[in-house]
Amino acid sequence: MEKIMGLDLGSKTLGIAISDALGMIAHGVETFRFAENQDSLSIPRVKELCAQEGIKKIVLGLPKHMNGDVGIRGEVSLKYKEKLEKNIEGIEVILADERLTTKVAENALIFADVSRKKRKKVIDKMAAVTILQSYLDSH
């Protein structure tokens, strides 16, 4: 089985997670930061990680409103999916409903007694872990 990457796209950050070789456990890699709404700057880093880790599949969080509608942030994620597919040869990008993943990640960090300042630095990476782990658990 191949490793799978999970991504949580924000307006200034990209949370990145990668599965183990068996596709059972997601672990956080990093939070990539970029200038607001300049998500294209993260593409070379994602491409580099895909090459290093032999990744052919990416699970990208798709933010939806609680009623299921895709809003502005969801539209940004749909455009980002197109950029990934255009710039990374042979990659499959799967969209995954990410409603509440940031809240789940934050609650886990609070439970682990991580300070507010440290949580802010890792929340996007943890949200990517949550997105990827949900996908792995359901497949």
Side-chain angles (χ1 to χ4, degrees):
M1 179 147 195
E2 295 177 333
K3 292 181 181 180
I4 301 171
M5 181 181 287
L7 299 176
D8 177 52
L9 180 64
S11 60
K12 296 180 186 175
T13 60
L14 179 70
I16 304 172
I18 296 177
S19 75
D20 62 344
L22 296 174
M24 295 176 69
I25 300 170
H27 66 274
V29 175
E30 68 184 72
T31 298
F32 186 92
R33 300 184 190 290
F34 48 84
E36 188 155 9
N37 299 319
Q38 298 292 312
D39 58 41
S40 293
L41 298 174
S42 66
I43 301 280
R45 179 63 179 142
V46 173
K47 187 174 183 175
E48 176 186 11
L49 285 169
C50 285
Q52 280 176 2
E53 301 289 338
I55 291 167
K56 300 288 183 214
K57 186 183 292 184
I58 294 175
V59 179
L60 173 62
L62 178 63
K64 294 181 178 180
H65 297 299
M66 292 312 284
N67 67 3
D69 289 348
V70 175
I72 294 168
R73 290 300 319 156
E75 294 293 331
V76 170
S77 289
L78 292 170
K79 288 185 177 99
Y80 190 74
K81 175 185 187 289
E82 290 175 14
K83 292 177 199 174
L84 288 170
E85 291 170 336
K86 182 179 167 195
N87 289 285
I88 305 173
E89 196 173 315
I91 204 77
E92 176 188 5
V93 182
I94 297 164
L95 295 169
D97 185 345
E98 70 162 49
R99 284 178 282 191
L100 301 178
T101 54
T102 300
K103 190 69 182 157
V104 168
E106 185 171 26
N107 287 343
L109 292 168
I110 289 169
F111 183 75
D113 204 25
V114 175
S115 72
R116 184 180 302 271
K117 187 176 178 183
K118 287 181 184 171
R119 281 198 311 264
K120 193 173 180 351
K121 291 180 180 174
V122 300
I123 193 72
D124 300 299
K125 177 173 66 173
M126 292 302 297
V129 168
T130 304
I131 289 165
L132 180 55
Q133 192 63 56
S134 294
Y135 175 83
L136 296 173
D137 290 348
S138 67
H139 288 79

